[in-house]
Amino acid sequence: MLNIVDNQQEQKITPLLRLGFRPFFLFGSLFATLSMVLWLLTLKGVVSVEPLNGMLWWHSHEMLFGFTAAIIAGFLLTAVQTWTNIPSIKGGQLLFLVCLWGLARLLILFGTASMLPLAMITDLVFLPLTAFFVGQRVIRIRQYRNLIFIPVLVLMSVMNLFTYLPSLGFDSAWQARGVHGMTLLVTFLVAFLGGRVIPMFTANGTKTTKVLPIKWLEISALASLVVVLVILLLKDVGDFNLLTSIACLTAALLHAIRQWRWRIWVTLTVPLVWSLHFTMLFIPIGLGLLSLHFFGANITLSTAIHSLTVGAIGGMILAMMSRVSLGHTGRMLQVGKLMSVAFFAIVISAIVRSIALAIWPQWTIQFWVLAGCLWCLAFGLFFFKYLPVLSAPRVDGRPG
């Protein structure tokens, strides 16, 4: 990356606020851990908490629009500087955005019913503001290839609004549409970014030839996720529907073929690479479970969706946070045993929460708790390992 930042000026900014990935990865991973602990304690009846719109709404909403949205913001606010060679937000602007995100989390968890409008507005502003900071830099140099992220962020904001509609008097189905819509949007983002970087990371990490994309397969795989998203938004979520089942199965097959071409088997000795491959496998697995659910199998919609949220989304977030944090702080792209354990934990968490639960539904509560504990282990280890990395200057003395 070009030296596009005044290093002398940057030294006046605390390291944690020098680039978007630093605070959002750090606080996002801490939030992912603590919010899951709170959910598990509530599930077991150890504590009693009454967030806005109830605990079940809080859990599904905050995992997507709290934790996941924070990581997406941190990634894009960092990547846009690399894409455009224009300095991204830092210092006061970045602090404002982080505080806006944090305030929304506090208002939702601890606010009263009378504070719902303030909590909703604070929460809904976050992603559009992120889109503005990213979009103005992309548009400035007419790098239209990366403008795809702007409508995706806007659509995510719309899905967020959907989740609030029942509390404003609308039908309760809007909340499910918002959650499922956001899940598919983030899955699309994971699939899109995965196609961009995984073949390259695989070639570089394993010293093998890069697998070139097949254009029709790339377009078809991504388009299939859009089709599933649209169908889920237009139909009554949860009802049997043959069209939905066929669409999900088609998407699962396309993504399975796409990922098979990336040769997961050559990556098994490189944690920063196999972690990406294994997390991507939960896209066809999740879509396959969705297909079975809509075909009438004894698999709940929640079980199928969690294959995507825990496996594809949670796993990709953990793998990419680890890689981006090392690269953008001037460190070698290598992880030790602790992060290898974290990668393993998130994969097992996804297997337990989706595949195992689909086979043995009688163990639902036990599997929920086990999957949640493994999730906490994974993101807790990231926070512990990367706290000194994200809060310190780059080791090579460069800005960032």
Side-chain angles (χ1 to χ4, degrees):
M1 184 175 70
L2 297 177
N3 188 5
I4 57 176
V5 180
D6 187 333
N7 200 20
Q8 189 173 5
Q9 285 294 112
E10 179 144 316
Q11 298 307 312
K12 300 176 183 178
I13 304 173
T14 182
L16 193 58
L17 296 175
R18 290 182 184 176
L19 207 50
F21 76 97
R22 290 177 174 270
F24 283 117
F25 287 7
L26 188 64
F27 295 131
S29 62
L30 179 62
F31 181 74
T33 306
L34 295 181
S35 59
M36 185 59 74
V37 169
L38 181 58
W39 170 248
L40 292 176
L41 292 176
T42 304
L43 195 66
K44 298 298 289 183
V46 178
V47 299
S48 179
V49 183
E50 284 299 327
L52 290 177
N53 299 329
M55 198 64 191
L56 183 59
W57 181 94
W58 174 83
H59 172 65
S60 59
H61 180 275
E62 291 299 89
M63 283 292 99
L64 288 169
F65 299 102
F67 160 60
T68 303
I71 306 307
I72 290 172
F75 175 80
L76 291 179
L77 290 170
T78 301
V80 73
Q81 179 168 293
T82 303
W83 298 336
T84 64
N85 287 331
I86 299 173
S88 187
I89 64 169
K90 57 183 82 286
Q93 281 186 318
L94 182 55
L95 178 61
F96 171 78
L97 196 61
V98 172
C99 288
L100 182 72
W101 172 81
L103 178 61
R105 311 286 66 81
L106 292 174
L107 288 172
I108 290 171
L109 182 58
F110 298 112
T112 61
S114 63
M115 299 173 68
L116 177 62
L118 177 60
M120 182 174 67
I121 292 170
T122 305
D123 188 35
L124 289 174
V125 164
F126 176 70
L127 284 174
L129 193 55
T130 300
F132 170 76
F133 287 133
V134 173
Q136 67 174 176
R137 287 160 175 78
V138 171
I139 292 172
R140 181 174 165 184
I141 65 166
R142 300 179 182 179
Q143 196 180 65
Y144 300 124
R145 176 172 177 256
N146 287 317
L147 270 181
I148 186 175
F149 296 102
I150 307 308
V152 171
L153 289 175
V154 172
L155 285 173
M156 288 178 177
S157 301
V158 174
M159 296 304 111
N160 196 4
L161 175 61
F162 283 178
T163 66
Y164 286 99
L165 291 182
S167 61
L168 300 177
F170 291 83
D171 189 275
S172 60
W174 283 107
Q175 194 268 338
R177 291 190 183 104
V179 167
H180 299 150
M182 179 65 170
T183 299
L184 265 296
L185 281 171
V186 182
T187 301
F188 174 88
L189 203 57
V190 167
F192 177 76
L193 290 172
R196 275 192 176 189
V197 303
I198 290 178
M200 177 179 64
F201 290 166
T202 300
N204 294 342
T206 62
K207 310 302 180 187
T208 57
T209 304
K210 178 184 175 182
V211 174
L212 298 178
I214 299 175
K215 189 172 182 179
W216 72 263
L217 181 59
E218 296 296 307
I219 294 173
S220 299
L222 294 174
S224 69
L225 290 175
V226 176
V227 171
V228 173
L229 168 63
V230 171
I231 292 175
L232 287 180
L233 291 177
L234 292 180
K235 72 184 294 297
D236 291 327
V237 176
D239 292 342
F240 167 78
N241 188 295
L242 183 59
L243 175 62
T244 311
S245 178
I246 294 172
C248 290
L249 179 60
T250 302
L253 292 173
L254 287 169
H255 282 273
I257 295 169
R258 183 186 191 224
Q259 290 166 34
W260 177 261
R261 297 188 65 251
W262 295 345
R263 300 168 305 144
I264 187 175
W265 54 88
V266 305
T267 71
L268 300 182
T269 59
V270 189
L272 274 177
V273 182
W274 69 248
S275 57
L276 290 168
H277 279 267
F278 273 97
T279 194
M280 290 290 287
L281 286 177
F282 285 95
I283 295 180
I285 291 172
L287 291 167
L289 291 175
L290 279 173
S291 177
L292 289 173
H293 165 78
F294 287 112
F295 193 69
N298 187 28
I299 297 173
T300 67
L301 186 57
S302 173
T303 296
I305 288 292
H306 274 82
S307 184
L308 298 175
T309 55
V310 180
I313 297 172
M316 175 61 85
I317 283 175
L318 188 66
M320 287 301 291
M321 284 198 306
S322 303
R323 189 180 192 96
V324 170
S325 297
L326 293 173
H328 280 275
T329 56
R331 290 169 168 80
M332 295 288 291
L333 294 178
Q334 296 176 349
V335 295
K337 293 181 179 179
L338 281 182
M339 284 312 300
S340 294
V341 170
F343 296 150
F344 185 73
I346 197 67
V347 171
I348 300 302
S349 176
I351 292 173
V352 169
R353 187 59 182 85
S354 57
I355 299 173
L357 193 56
I359 299 173
W360 298 289
Q362 67 271 24
W363 295 95
T364 294
I365 298 297
Q366 292 85 346
F367 284 153
W368 282 359
V369 173
L370 177 56
C373 288
L374 289 167
W375 172 282
C376 291
L377 175 63
F379 286 98
L381 284 174
F382 176 88
F383 179 81
F384 171 77
K385 185 69 176 179
Y386 282 87
L387 173 59
V389 173
L390 296 171
S391 57
R394 286 180 62 114
V395 295
D396 56 9
R398 292 171 58 188

